[in-house]
Amino acid sequence: MATAFSLGCLGIGLVLLVIAVGLRLWSLPSWPSTEATSSVPLPSDNGPRISAAARAILVGRPRRAVAAAIADLEAHDAITVRRPAKGRTPEVRIRDIGRVGADAHLLLGPYVTTGSTRPFALWAAIDMVGATLVRKGLTGPILRWPARVLIPLAVIVLILCGFVLLAIAPDPRAWVVAGACGATLAAIVVVPTRIQRPTAAAAPLLAALRPRREAVRRGDHAASAEDAVLFAGAARLRELILGPDGVTLDRLVRSADPGASRIRIVTTTIDALTSWP
């Protein structure tokens, strides 16, 4: 019986992990090849344009949308990024309000706020930018239900694995249950909490962004700060600076990151289970 429970826990944990990985891969944009979009005119300066924040959402980086908007505004001398005297959040000072677009107006307000309401305000602003992409037909709707279904299931599996682990320890089969716990925790970490997939109409925009992504990956120093925010890893972001005070892009990205909502889903699930009659 203990063996069956152990193998069952491991199987469920692996299934959840496979589903989470599949959702993560599905949430990433499909980058069209240059040949596939050669017959489609790319967006020009006189054609339809989207903001830097919208581009972050389009390439699957919504948590960097605020940082991308700030980097773009600083490059156009619309704002100045300054390091504060205390704390880790760089200050943003508007120099030319006329150059701050509608999306940036939405994002800069929550960015300068502090406290527990800031992540909610940032996500609300990012979702409003994402809604404009939906209205333009460039992306599908914002999906949150995959995480809201998978994470509570994973929490329940973790609790059951914990009971089985306590019941059979120190039996060698406990390692199987421990593996199930690890797979289930990995599923919670991997599953995307927000999915907004580009549509076929966004293929020209993605094709135009592809050379910029490859330039960042090559380490091209001519790549813009916005492109680095959109496509660079943490190591590269720590090397690049922004503003007269030399604020690193890594610091900017971290300070403007609203965070993921998976912890809130976990705590809500635990509260619901503990209050069950």
Side-chain angles (χ1 to χ4, degrees), residues 126-184:
I126 292 171
D127 285 347
M128 291 179 71
V129 176
T132 63
L133 290 175
V134 177
R135 288 194 297 270
K136 292 178 180 179
L138 297 174
T139 69
I142 302 171
L143 302 179
R144 291 190 175 86
W145 67 264
R148 292 177 178 175
V149 171
L150 188 141
I151 292 178
L153 287 175
V155 171
I156 295 173
V157 171
L158 276 177
I159 294 173
L160 293 176
C161 287
F163 284 124
V164 174
L165 196 61
L166 291 175
I168 68 175
D171 191 284
R173 288 168 294 189
W175 289 104
V176 178
V177 183
C181 292
T184 307

Side-chain angles (χ1 to χ4, degrees), residues 5 12 21 32 39 42 46 62 99 113 127 147 153 174 195 197 202 218 238:
F5 274 116
I12 295 173
V21 172
S39 61
L42 298 179
N46 297 325
R99 296 186 180 183
T113 62
D127 285 347
L153 287 175
I195 299 174
R197 285 174 51 82
R218 289 194 308 265
R238 285 192 290 268

Side-chain angles (χ1 to χ4, degrees), residues 83-155:
R83 183 185 295 112
K86 295 181 180 180
R88 72 175 185 89
T89 304
E91 295 178 354
V92 175
R93 301 178 184 177
I94 297 178
R95 298 178 60 185
D96 186 350
I97 191 65
R99 296 186 180 183
V100 180
D103 287 352
H105 271 293
L106 288 172
L107 297 168
L108 289 181
Y111 174 76
V112 299
T113 62
T114 58
S116 59
T117 60
R118 183 184 179 200
F120 297 98
L122 282 177
W123 271 125
I126 292 171
D127 285 347
M128 291 179 71
V129 176
T132 63
L133 290 175
V134 177
R135 288 194 297 270
K136 292 178 180 179
L138 297 174
T139 69
I142 302 171
L143 302 179
R144 291 190 175 86
W145 67 264
R148 292 177 178 175
V149 171
L150 188 141
I151 292 178
L153 287 175
V155 171

